[in-house]
Amino acid sequence: MVVKTETCTFSNFRIYPGHGCLYIRTDGKSFRFINAKNEASFHMKRNPRKLNWTLFYRRLRKKGTQEDQLKKAKKRVISTSVLSRGIQGMTIEELKNKTSEGKERRKAMREATVR
């Protein structure tokens, strides 16, 4: 089951259903806050980029991304031994010739074998 979450306009935290409060300004623009602390900071016109507990601050200064980098799998470079020793029935020279020939020639050879 997927739960629809909103985001706090001040701290950018996730707000789950039944939590937070909605503030609607006189011009009709609506703001969702997760708690009174965020709402009070918004009304005091504090900048969320300067408060180190908000997600805006953390994203701006790249905090918490080290965990994400550790989770990413390291890419392994696999070197093929085919180019050094060949494939059964083909020598290294034949493989190099086959890779160097153009697409048009290979396409023509394929069509010729189909006929």
Coordinates of all heavy atoms in Angstrom, one line a residue, residues 5-79:
T5 N 2.3 11.2 0.8 CA 2.9 12.1 1.8 C 3.1 13.5 1.1 O 3.3 13.6 -0.1 CB 4.3 11.6 2.2 OG1 5.1 11.5 1.1 CG2 4.2 10.3 2.9
E6 N 2.9 14.5 2.0 CA 3.2 15.9 1.5 C 4.6 16.3 2.0 O 5.2 15.5 2.8 CB 2.1 16.8 2.2 CG 0.7 16.5 1.9 CD 0.3 16.9 0.5 OE1 0.9 17.8 -0.1 OE2 -0.7 16.3 0.0
T7 N 5.1 17.4 1.6 CA 6.4 17.9 2.1 C 6.1 19.2 2.8 O 5.3 20.1 2.4 CB 7.4 18.1 1.0 OG1 6.8 19.0 0.0 CG2 7.8 16.8 0.3
C8 N 6.9 19.4 3.9 CA 6.8 20.6 4.7 C 7.4 21.8 3.8 O 8.5 21.6 3.3 CB 7.6 20.5 6.0 SG 7.6 21.9 7.0
T9 N 6.8 22.9 3.8 CA 7.3 24.0 2.9 C 8.5 24.7 3.5 O 9.3 25.3 2.8 CB 6.2 25.0 2.7 OG1 5.6 25.4 3.9 CG2 5.1 24.5 1.8
F10 N 8.7 24.5 4.8 CA 9.8 25.2 5.5 C 11.0 24.2 5.5 O 12.1 24.6 5.1 CB 9.5 25.6 6.9 CG 10.5 26.4 7.6 CD1 10.7 27.7 7.2 CD2 11.4 25.9 8.5 CE1 11.7 28.5 7.8 CE2 12.4 26.6 9.1 CZ 12.5 27.9 8.7
S11 N 10.8 23.0 6.1 CA 12.0 22.2 6.3 C 12.1 21.1 5.3 O 13.2 20.4 5.2 CB 11.9 21.5 7.7 OG 10.7 20.6 7.7
N12 N 11.1 20.9 4.4 CA 11.1 19.9 3.4 C 11.1 18.5 3.9 O 11.5 17.5 3.2 CB 12.3 20.1 2.4 CG 12.0 19.7 1.0 OD1 10.8 19.6 0.6 ND2 13.0 19.5 0.2
F13 N 10.6 18.3 5.2 CA 10.4 17.0 5.7 C 9.1 16.4 5.1 O 8.2 17.1 4.7 CB 10.3 17.0 7.2 CG 11.6 17.3 7.9 CD1 11.6 18.1 9.1 CD2 12.8 17.0 7.4 CE1 12.8 18.4 9.8 CE2 14.0 17.3 8.1 CZ 14.0 18.0 9.3
R14 N 9.0 15.0 5.2 CA 7.8 14.4 4.7 C 6.7 14.5 5.8 O 7.0 14.3 7.0 CB 8.1 12.9 4.4 CG 8.6 12.7 3.0 CD 8.8 11.2 2.8 NE 10.1 10.9 3.3 CZ 10.6 9.7 3.5 NH1 9.9 8.7 3.3 NH2 11.8 9.6 4.0
I15 N 5.5 14.8 5.4 CA 4.4 14.8 6.3 C 3.4 13.7 5.9 O 2.9 13.6 4.8 CB 3.6 16.2 6.2 CG1 4.6 17.3 6.4 CG2 2.5 16.2 7.1 CD1 4.0 18.7 6.1
Y16 N 3.2 12.8 6.9 CA 2.3 11.7 6.6 C 0.9 12.1 6.9 O 0.6 13.1 7.6 CB 2.8 10.5 7.5 CG 4.1 9.9 7.0 CD1 5.3 10.3 7.6 CD2 4.1 8.9 6.0 CE1 6.5 9.7 7.1 CE2 5.2 8.4 5.6 CZ 6.4 8.8 6.1 OH 7.6 8.2 5.7
P17 N -0.1 11.3 6.4 CA -1.5 11.7 6.6 C -1.9 11.8 8.1 O -1.5 10.9 8.9 CB -2.2 10.5 5.9 CG -1.3 10.0 4.9 CD 0.1 10.2 5.5
G18 N -2.6 12.8 8.4 CA -3.0 13.0 9.8 C -2.0 13.8 10.6 O -2.3 14.0 11.8
H19 N -1.0 14.2 10.0 CA 0.1 15.0 10.8 C 0.2 16.4 10.1 O -0.2 16.6 9.0 CB 1.4 14.3 10.7 CG 1.4 13.0 11.5 ND1 1.7 12.9 12.8 CD2 1.1 11.7 11.0 CE1 1.6 11.6 13.1 NE2 1.2 10.9 12.1
G20 N 0.8 17.3 10.9 CA 1.1 18.6 10.4 C -0.1 19.5 10.4 O -1.2 19.1 10.8
C21 N 0.1 20.7 9.9 CA -1.0 21.7 9.8 C -0.9 22.5 8.5 O 0.2 22.6 7.9 CB -1.0 22.6 11.0 SG 0.5 23.6 11.2
L22 N -2.0 23.0 8.1 CA -2.1 23.7 6.8 C -2.3 25.2 7.1 O -3.3 25.5 7.8 CB -3.2 23.1 5.9 CG -3.5 23.8 4.6 CD1 -2.3 23.6 3.7 CD2 -4.7 23.2 4.0
Y23 N -1.5 26.1 6.5 CA -1.7 27.5 6.7 C -2.0 28.1 5.3 O -1.3 27.8 4.4 CB -0.4 28.1 7.3 CG -0.4 29.6 7.3 CD1 -1.3 30.4 8.1 CD2 0.4 30.3 6.4 CE1 -1.2 31.7 8.1 CE2 0.4 31.7 6.4 CZ -0.4 32.4 7.3 OH -0.4 33.8 7.2
I24 N -3.1 28.8 5.2 CA -3.5 29.5 4.0 C -3.5 31.0 4.1 O -4.1 31.5 5.0 CB -4.9 29.0 3.5 CG1 -4.9 27.5 3.4 CG2 -5.3 29.7 2.2 CD1 -6.3 26.9 3.1
R25 N -2.6 31.6 3.3 CA -2.5 33.0 3.4 C -3.7 33.8 2.8 O -4.5 33.1 2.1 CB -1.2 33.4 2.6 CG -0.4 34.5 3.3 CD 1.0 34.6 2.8 NE 1.3 34.3 1.4 CZ 2.5 34.2 0.9 NH1 3.5 34.4 1.6 NH2 2.6 34.0 -0.4
T26 N -3.8 35.0 3.0 CA -4.9 35.8 2.5 C -5.0 35.8 0.9 O -6.0 36.0 0.3 CB -5.0 37.2 3.0 OG1 -3.7 37.8 2.8 CG2 -5.3 37.2 4.5
D27 N -3.8 35.7 0.3 CA -3.8 35.7 -1.1 C -4.1 34.3 -1.7 O -4.2 34.2 -2.9 CB -2.4 36.2 -1.7 CG -1.3 35.2 -1.3 OD1 -1.5 34.3 -0.5 OD2 -0.1 35.5 -1.8
G28 N -4.4 33.3 -0.9 CA -4.8 32.0 -1.3 C -3.7 31.0 -1.4 O -4.0 29.8 -1.7
K29 N -2.5 31.3 -1.2 CA -1.4 30.4 -1.3 C -1.3 29.6 0.0 O -1.5 30.1 1.1 CB 0.0 31.1 -1.4 CG 1.1 30.2 -1.7 CD 2.3 31.0 -2.3 CE 3.6 30.3 -2.4 NZ 3.5 29.0 -3.0
S30 N -1.2 28.2 -0.2 CA -1.3 27.3 1.0 C 0.1 26.8 1.3 O 1.0 26.6 0.5 CB -2.2 26.2 0.7 OG -1.7 25.4 -0.4
F31 N 0.4 26.6 2.6 CA 1.7 26.2 3.2 C 1.4 25.0 4.1 O 0.5 25.1 5.0 CB 2.4 27.3 3.9 CG 2.7 28.5 3.0 CD1 1.8 29.6 3.0 CD2 3.8 28.5 2.2 CE1 2.1 30.7 2.2 CE2 4.1 29.6 1.4 CZ 3.2 30.7 1.4
R32 N 2.1 23.9 4.0 CA 2.0 22.8 4.9 C 3.2 22.8 5.8 O 4.4 22.9 5.3 CB 1.9 21.5 4.2 CG 0.6 21.3 3.5 CD 0.4 19.9 3.1 NE -0.9 19.7 2.5 CZ -2.0 19.5 3.2 NH1 -2.0 19.4 4.5 NH2 -3.2 19.3 2.6
F33 N 3.0 22.6 7.1 CA 4.1 22.5 8.1 C 4.0 21.2 8.9 O 2.8 20.7 9.2 CB 4.1 23.7 9.0 CG 4.2 25.0 8.3 CD1 3.1 25.8 8.2 CD2 5.4 25.4 7.8 CE1 3.1 27.0 7.5 CE2 5.4 26.6 7.1 CZ 4.3 27.4 7.0
I34 N 5.1 20.6 9.2 CA 5.1 19.3 9.9 C 4.8 19.5 11.4 O 4.2 18.7 12.1 CB 6.4 18.5 9.7 CG1 6.2 17.1 10.2 CG2 7.6 19.2 10.3 CD1 7.2 16.1 9.6
N35 N 5.3 20.7 12.0 CA 5.1 21.0 13.4 C 5.1 22.5 13.6 O 5.3 23.3 12.7 CB 6.1 20.3 14.3 CG 7.6 20.6 13.8 OD1 7.8 21.6 13.1 ND2 8.5 19.8 14.3
A36 N 4.8 22.9 14.9 CA 4.7 24.3 15.2 C 6.0 25.0 15.1 O 6.1 26.2 14.8 CB 4.1 24.4 16.6
K37 N 7.1 24.3 15.3 CA 8.5 24.9 15.2 C 8.7 25.4 13.8 O 9.2 26.5 13.6 CB 9.5 23.8 15.6 CG 10.9 24.2 15.4 CD 11.8 23.0 15.7 CE 13.3 23.2 15.5 NZ 14.1 22.1 15.7
N38 N 8.3 24.6 12.8 CA 8.5 25.0 11.4 C 7.6 26.2 11.1 O 8.0 27.1 10.4 CB 8.3 23.8 10.5 CG 9.3 22.8 10.6 OD1 10.4 23.0 11.1 ND2 9.1 21.6 10.1
E39 N 6.3 26.1 11.6 CA 5.4 27.1 11.3 C 5.8 28.5 11.9 O 5.8 29.5 11.3 CB 4.0 26.7 11.8 CG 2.9 27.7 11.4 CD 1.5 27.2 11.8 OE1 1.4 26.2 12.5 OE2 0.6 27.9 11.5
A40 N 6.3 28.4 13.2 CA 6.8 29.6 13.8 C 8.0 30.2 13.1 O 8.1 31.4 13.0 CB 7.1 29.3 15.3
S41 N 8.9 29.4 12.7 CA 10.1 29.8 12.0 C 9.7 30.5 10.7 O 10.3 31.5 10.3 CB 11.0 28.7 11.8 OG 11.5 28.2 13.0
F42 N 8.7 29.9 10.0 CA 8.2 30.5 8.7 C 7.6 31.9 9.0 O 7.9 32.8 8.2 CB 7.2 29.5 8.1 CG 6.5 30.1 6.9 CD1 7.2 30.0 5.7 CD2 5.3 30.7 6.9 CE1 6.6 30.5 4.5 CE2 4.7 31.2 5.8 CZ 5.3 31.1 4.6
H43 N 6.8 32.0 10.0 CA 6.2 33.3 10.3 C 7.2 34.3 10.8 O 7.0 35.5 10.6 CB 5.1 33.1 11.3 CG 3.9 32.4 10.8 ND1 3.2 32.8 9.7 CD2 3.2 31.3 11.2 CE1 2.2 32.0 9.4 NE2 2.2 31.0 10.4
M44 N 8.3 33.9 11.4 CA 9.4 34.8 11.8 C 10.3 35.1 10.6 O 11.3 35.8 10.8 CB 10.2 34.2 12.9 CG 9.4 34.2 14.3 SD 10.5 33.7 15.6 CE 10.2 32.0 15.7
K45 N 10.0 34.6 9.4 CA 10.7 34.8 8.2 C 12.2 34.4 8.3 O 13.1 35.0 7.8 CB 10.6 36.3 7.8 CG 9.2 36.7 7.5 CD 9.1 38.1 7.0 CE 7.6 38.4 6.6 NZ 7.4 39.7 6.2
R46 N 12.4 33.2 9.0 CA 13.7 32.7 9.1 C 14.1 32.0 7.8 O 13.2 31.5 7.1 CB 13.8 31.7 10.2 CG 13.8 32.3 11.6 CD 14.1 31.3 12.6 NE 14.1 32.0 13.9 CZ 13.9 31.4 15.1 NH1 13.5 30.1 15.1 NH2 14.0 32.1 16.2
N47 N 15.3 32.0 7.4 CA 15.8 31.3 6.2 C 16.1 29.9 6.5 O 17.0 29.6 7.2 CB 17.0 32.1 5.7 CG 17.4 31.6 4.3 OD1 16.8 30.7 3.7 ND2 18.4 32.3 3.7
P48 N 15.4 28.9 5.8 CA 15.6 27.5 6.1 C 17.0 27.1 5.6 O 17.5 26.0 6.1 CB 14.5 26.8 5.4 CG 14.0 27.7 4.4 CD 14.2 29.1 4.9
R49 N 17.6 27.8 4.8 CA 19.0 27.4 4.3 C 20.0 27.7 5.3 O 21.2 27.2 5.2 CB 19.3 28.2 3.0 CG 18.5 27.7 1.8 CD 18.5 28.7 0.7 NE 17.4 28.3 -0.3 CZ 16.2 28.7 -0.2 NH1 15.8 29.4 0.8 NH2 15.3 28.4 -1.1
K50 N 19.7 28.5 6.3 CA 20.7 28.8 7.4 C 20.5 28.0 8.7 O 21.3 28.1 9.6 CB 20.6 30.3 7.7 CG 21.1 31.2 6.6 CD 21.0 32.7 7.0 CE 21.5 33.5 5.9 NZ 21.5 35.0 6.3
L51 N 19.4 27.2 8.7 CA 19.1 26.4 9.9 C 19.6 25.0 9.6 O 19.1 24.3 8.7 CB 17.6 26.4 10.2 CG 17.0 27.8 10.6 CD1 15.5 27.7 10.7 CD2 17.7 28.3 11.9
N52 N 20.6 24.5 10.4 CA 21.2 23.3 10.1 C 20.4 22.0 10.3 O 20.8 20.9 9.9 CB 22.6 23.2 10.8 CG 22.4 23.2 12.3 OD1 21.3 23.3 12.8 ND2 23.6 23.2 13.0
W53 N 19.2 22.1 10.8 CA 18.4 20.9 10.9 C 17.4 20.7 9.8 O 16.7 19.7 9.7 CB 17.6 20.9 12.2 CG 16.8 22.2 12.5 CD1 17.3 23.3 13.1 CD2 15.5 22.5 12.1 NE1 16.3 24.3 13.2 CE2 15.2 23.8 12.5 CE3 14.5 21.8 11.4 CZ2 14.0 24.4 12.3 CZ3 13.3 22.4 11.1 CH2 13.1 23.7 11.6
T54 N 17.3 21.6 8.8 CA 16.4 21.5 7.7 C 17.1 20.7 6.5 O 18.3 20.7 6.4 CB 16.0 22.9 7.2 OG1 17.1 23.6 6.7 CG2 15.3 23.7 8.2
L55 N 16.3 20.1 5.7 CA 16.8 19.4 4.5 C 17.4 20.4 3.5 O 18.4 20.0 2.8 CB 15.8 18.6 3.9 CG 15.4 17.3 4.6 CD1 14.4 16.5 3.8 CD2 16.6 16.4 4.7
F56 N 16.9 21.6 3.4 CA 17.5 22.6 2.5 C 19.0 22.8 2.9 O 19.8 22.9 2.0 CB 16.7 23.9 2.6 CG 15.4 23.9 2.0 CD1 14.3 24.2 2.7 CD2 15.3 23.6 0.6 CE1 13.0 24.1 2.1 CE2 14.0 23.6 0.0 CZ 12.9 23.8 0.8
Y57 N 19.2 23.0 4.2 CA 20.6 23.2 4.6 C 21.5 22.0 4.3 O 22.6 22.2 3.8 CB 20.6 23.5 6.1 CG 21.9 23.7 6.8 CD1 22.5 24.9 7.0 CD2 22.7 22.6 7.2 CE1 23.7 25.1 7.6 CE2 23.9 22.7 7.8 CZ 24.4 24.0 8.0 OH 25.6 24.2 8.6
R58 N 21.0 20.8 4.6 CA 21.8 19.6 4.4 C 22.1 19.4 2.9 O 23.2 19.0 2.6 CB 21.1 18.4 5.0 CG 20.9 18.6 6.5 CD 20.4 17.4 7.2 NE 21.3 16.2 7.1 CZ 22.4 16.1 7.9 NH1 22.7 17.0 8.8 NH2 23.1 15.0 7.8
R59 N 21.1 19.6 2.1 CA 21.3 19.4 0.6 C 22.3 20.5 0.1 O 23.1 20.2 -0.8 CB 20.0 19.5 -0.1 CG 19.2 18.2 0.1 CD 18.0 18.3 -0.8 NE 17.2 17.1 -0.6 CZ 15.9 17.1 -0.5 NH1 15.2 18.2 -0.8 NH2 15.2 16.0 -0.3
L60 N 22.2 21.7 0.6 CA 23.0 22.8 0.1 C 24.5 22.6 0.4 O 25.3 22.8 -0.4 CB 22.5 24.1 0.8 CG 23.1 25.4 0.3 CD1 22.7 25.7 -1.2 CD2 22.7 26.6 1.1
R61 N 24.7 22.0 1.6 CA 26.1 21.7 2.1 C 26.5 20.2 1.9 O 27.5 19.8 2.4 CB 26.2 22.1 3.5 CG 26.2 23.6 3.6 CD 25.9 24.1 5.0 NE 25.9 25.6 5.1 CZ 24.9 26.3 4.7 NH1 23.8 25.8 4.2 NH2 25.0 27.6 4.8
K62 N 25.7 19.5 1.1 CA 26.0 18.1 0.8 C 26.3 17.2 2.0 O 27.2 16.4 2.1 CB 27.2 18.0 -0.2 CG 26.9 18.6 -1.5 CD 28.1 18.6 -2.4 CE 27.8 19.2 -3.8 NZ 27.4 20.6 -3.7
K63 N 25.4 17.4 3.0 CA 25.5 16.6 4.3 C 24.7 15.3 4.1 O 23.7 15.2 3.4 CB 24.9 17.3 5.5 CG 25.6 18.6 5.7 CD 26.9 18.4 6.3 CE 27.6 19.8 6.6 NZ 28.9 19.7 7.1
G64 N 25.2 14.2 4.6 CA 24.5 12.9 4.6 C 24.7 12.2 3.2 O 24.1 11.1 3.1
T65 N 25.5 12.7 2.3 CA 25.6 12.0 1.0 C 26.7 11.0 1.1 O 26.8 10.2 0.2 CB 25.9 13.0 -0.1 OG1 27.1 13.8 0.3 CG2 24.8 14.0 -0.3
Q66 N 27.5 11.0 2.2 CA 28.6 10.0 2.3 C 28.0 8.6 2.4 O 28.5 7.6 1.9 CB 29.5 10.3 3.5 CG 30.3 11.6 3.3 CD 30.9 12.1 4.5 OE1 30.7 11.6 5.6 NE2 31.8 13.1 4.4
E67 N 26.9 8.5 3.2 CA 26.2 7.2 3.3 C 25.8 6.7 2.0 O 25.9 5.5 1.7 CB 25.1 7.4 4.3 CG 25.4 7.8 5.7 CD 24.3 8.3 6.4 OE1 23.1 8.3 5.9 OE2 24.5 8.7 7.6
D68 N 25.3 7.6 1.1 CA 24.8 7.2 -0.2 C 25.9 6.7 -1.1 O 25.8 5.7 -1.8 CB 24.1 8.3 -0.9 CG 22.8 8.8 -0.1 OD1 22.3 8.0 0.7 OD2 22.5 9.9 -0.3
Q69 N 27.1 7.3 -0.9 CA 28.2 6.9 -1.7 C 28.8 5.5 -1.3 O 29.2 4.8 -2.1 CB 29.4 7.9 -1.6 CG 29.0 9.2 -2.3 CD 30.1 10.3 -2.1 OE1 31.0 10.1 -1.3 NE2 29.9 11.4 -2.7
L70 N 28.7 5.2 0.0 CA 29.1 3.9 0.5 C 28.2 2.8 0.0 O 28.6 1.7 -0.2 CB 29.2 3.9 2.0 CG 30.2 4.8 2.6 CD1 30.1 4.8 4.2 CD2 31.6 4.3 2.3
K71 N 26.9 3.2 -0.1 CA 25.9 2.2 -0.6 C 26.1 1.8 -2.0 O 25.7 0.7 -2.5 CB 24.5 2.7 -0.3 CG 24.1 2.7 1.2 CD 22.7 3.2 1.4 CE 22.4 3.3 2.8 NZ 21.1 3.9 3.1
K72 N 26.5 2.7 -2.8 CA 26.7 2.5 -4.3 C 27.7 1.4 -4.5 O 28.8 1.4 -3.9 CB 27.1 3.8 -5.0 CG 25.9 4.7 -5.1 CD 26.4 5.9 -5.9 CE 25.2 7.0 -6.0 NZ 25.7 8.2 -6.7
A73 N 27.4 0.5 -5.4 CA 28.4 -0.6 -5.6 C 29.5 0.0 -6.5 O 29.3 0.8 -7.4 CB 27.7 -1.7 -6.4
K74 N 30.7 -0.5 -6.2 CA 31.8 -0.1 -7.0 C 31.8 -0.8 -8.4 O 31.5 -2.0 -8.5 CB 33.1 -0.5 -6.3 CG 33.4 0.3 -5.1 CD 34.7 -0.1 -4.4 CE 34.9 0.6 -3.1 NZ 36.1 0.2 -2.5
K75 N 32.0 -0.1 -9.4 CA 32.0 -0.6 -10.8 C 33.3 -1.4 -11.0 O 34.4 -0.9 -10.8 CB 31.9 0.4 -11.8 CG 30.5 1.1 -11.8 CD 30.4 2.1 -12.9 CE 29.1 2.8 -12.9 NZ 28.9 3.8 -14.0
R76 N 33.1 -2.7 -11.4 CA 34.3 -3.5 -11.7 C 34.6 -3.4 -13.1 O 33.8 -3.5 -14.0 CB 34.0 -4.9 -11.3 CG 33.8 -5.2 -9.8 CD 33.7 -6.6 -9.6 NE 32.8 -6.8 -8.4 CZ 32.3 -8.0 -8.1 NH1 32.4 -9.0 -8.9 NH2 31.5 -8.1 -7.0
V77 N 35.9 -3.3 -13.4 CA 36.3 -3.3 -14.8 C 36.7 -4.7 -15.2 O 37.6 -5.3 -14.6 CB 37.5 -2.3 -15.0 CG1 38.0 -2.4 -16.4 CG2 37.2 -0.9 -14.6
I78 N 36.0 -5.3 -16.1 CA 36.2 -6.6 -16.5 C 37.0 -6.6 -17.8 O 36.5 -6.1 -18.8 CB 34.9 -7.4 -16.7 CG1 34.1 -7.4 -15.4 CG2 35.2 -8.8 -17.1 CD1 32.7 -7.9 -15.5
S79 N 38.2 -7.1 -17.8 CA 39.0 -7.2 -19.0 C 38.8 -8.5 -19.6 O 38.9 -9.6 -19.0 CB 40.5 -7.0 -18.7 OG 40.9 -8.0 -17.8

